Amino acid sequence: MARKVLVLGEVRDGSLRNVSFEAIAAAKTVAEGGEVVGVLIGDAVSALGTELYQYGADKVIAVEDEKLKNYTPDGYSQALLAVLDSEKPEGLILGHTAMGKDLAPKIAAKLGSGLISDAIAVEAAGGNLVFTRPIYSGKAFEKKFITDGLIFATIRPNNIAPLEKNEAASGTVAAVTVEIKDLRTIVKEVVRKASEGVDLSEAKVVIAGGRGVKSADGFEPLKELAKVLGGAVGASRGACDADYCDYSLQIGQTGKVVTPDLYIACGISGAIQHLAGMSNSKVIVAINKDPEANIFKVADYGIVGDLFEVVPLLTEEFKKLKI
Ligand code: FAD
């Protein structure tokens, strides 16, 4: 059954986040040959429409207003609800990002619809669209399908491959005017707290440090390795609690959930709450002095050793490969 499916293009610092392209790929499956519509919300965002076309959108809509320059749940939900009202899609896909996690339940509640959150795969099987999502902190997976109403899901970054980019694709961006009113939240300034460089939630490579790094300076070799591999630095809560790094780097049950291609855990014991945020990474490498450390149970490759010796050696070797 062909469907019209909307995808929210998530903009950060003037660029589309990768998860927007992954959402288009998921939407293509949901659309089953129907139309995928990219939606851009922001201040001056319509120029980003071309990239949505290049990743497979059939149509792009932009709601632009200076009140939408920064994300607010009120502003974005007004804009998205207005687009949903005019487009009347059968499906809606958002990224399972900080924004998606905040916005999706609000939209679902307003529409009285269901929501499949944090999906890592979607397939058309046996006449149903089946979404897969991790449960019990990633220890099991459940299959979900929606039998009626809006097919509404958020997808976890880095799990659904985007379609191949077609540089030649382009199209017009339809401007939709929405009167944004009664904002209860106004963002006056955005102060960036997280580390510069690659966004941790979307990074293909994550180098994470735990209490074993022993100090804020102990993160330096990890930053160096992350730089060489084009990755991001993350941390266990142990490292954050010890004030070695900012909480924005925390990975785990009460931190960020990451699924990079490569996760290198340095001086992290592998507590269950940490594993909840990284155990679905594609390849896990653990470096720990303790051969009995729990992290080795989920690791594909384990190095028993002192991280202050092992990490610089890895950095030197990767430098030689000129990645
Ligand atoms: P430790 O457990 O102290 O481990 C340090 C490791 O470093 C050890 O294995 C040691 O052998 C190794 N080491 C030491 N020196 C070196 C060296 N030179 N070279 C190599 N290895 C070395 N934790 C999270 O991470 N994320 C969460 O989201 C999270 N949420 C939580 C929520 C709740 C409700 C609770 C109760 C806890 C939560 N925790 C979370 C905390 C979690 O239980 C652990 O306390 C924490 O993950 C431990 O961090 P760590 O592995 O860095 O420290």
Side-chain angles (χ1 to χ4, degrees), residues 1-3 30-34 90:
M1 178 196 151
R3 303 182 180 88
V30 175
E32 296 195 81
E90 283 92 21

Side-chain angles (χ1 to χ4, degrees), residues 209-214 235-239 241 250-256 266-275 287-290 293 295 305-308:
R211 224 182 323 246
V213 303
K214 296 192 175 65
S236 70
R237 178 155 145 192
D241 284 347
Q250 186 184 319
I251 291 165
Q253 189 182 312
T254 43
K256 293 195 168 87
C266 312
I268 294 177
S269 58
I272 188 80
Q273 296 89 354
H274 186 75
L275 302 187
I287 304 166
N288 198 302
K289 281 205 297 200
D290 175 7
I295 192 78
D306 186 332
L307 73 93
F308 294 106

Side-chain angles (χ1 to χ4, degrees), residues 14-76:
S15 306
L16 279 161
R17 298 188 70 183
N18 259 341
V19 72
S20 315
F21 312 133
E22 296 164 1
I24 292 176
K28 284 274 180 196
T29 306
V30 175
E32 296 195 81
E35 188 182 37
V36 172
V37 182
V39 181
L40 292 163
I41 298 175
D43 182 12
V45 285
S46 54
L48 299 170
T50 305
E51 223 180 340
L52 293 179
Y53 279 114
Q54 289 173 337
Y55 277 97
D58 303 301
K59 175 179 165 184
V60 179
I61 289 171
V63 184
E64 292 182 307
D65 189 307
E66 62 175 11
K67 289 187 197 143
L68 299 170
K69 182 168 183 220
N70 291 301
Y71 172 75
T72 59
D74 278 351
Y76 273 50

Side-chain angles (χ1 to χ4, degrees), residues 5 19 27 90 105 114 143 154 164 195 199 208 211 228-229 266 278 281 283 285 293:
V5 183
V19 72
E90 283 92 21
K143 304 267 186 196
T154 59
E164 203 175 320
S195 57
D199 176 359
R211 224 182 323 246
V228 170
L229 293 176
C266 312
M278 47 63 75
S281 302
V283 175
V285 177

Side-chain angles (χ1 to χ4, degrees), residues 207-226 233-236 238-240 243-246 249 266 268 307-308 311:
I207 316 296
R211 224 182 323 246
V213 303
K214 296 192 175 65
S215 66
D217 287 344
F219 266 96
E220 289 308 316
L222 279 62
K223 286 183 189 165
E224 186 67 19
L225 179 57
V233 172
S236 70
C240 301
D243 215 12
Y244 302 161
C245 62
D246 192 84
L249 300 190
C266 312
I268 294 177
L307 73 93
F308 294 106
V311 173

Side-chain angles (χ1 to χ4, degrees), residues 3 33 56 74 93 129 154 163 168 177 181 192 196 278 312 321:
R3 303 182 180 88
D74 278 351
I93 312 281
L129 281 165
T154 59
L163 305 177
T177 308
K181 47 191 175 197
R192 194 157 296 286
E196 66 289 350
M278 47 63 75
L321 294 173

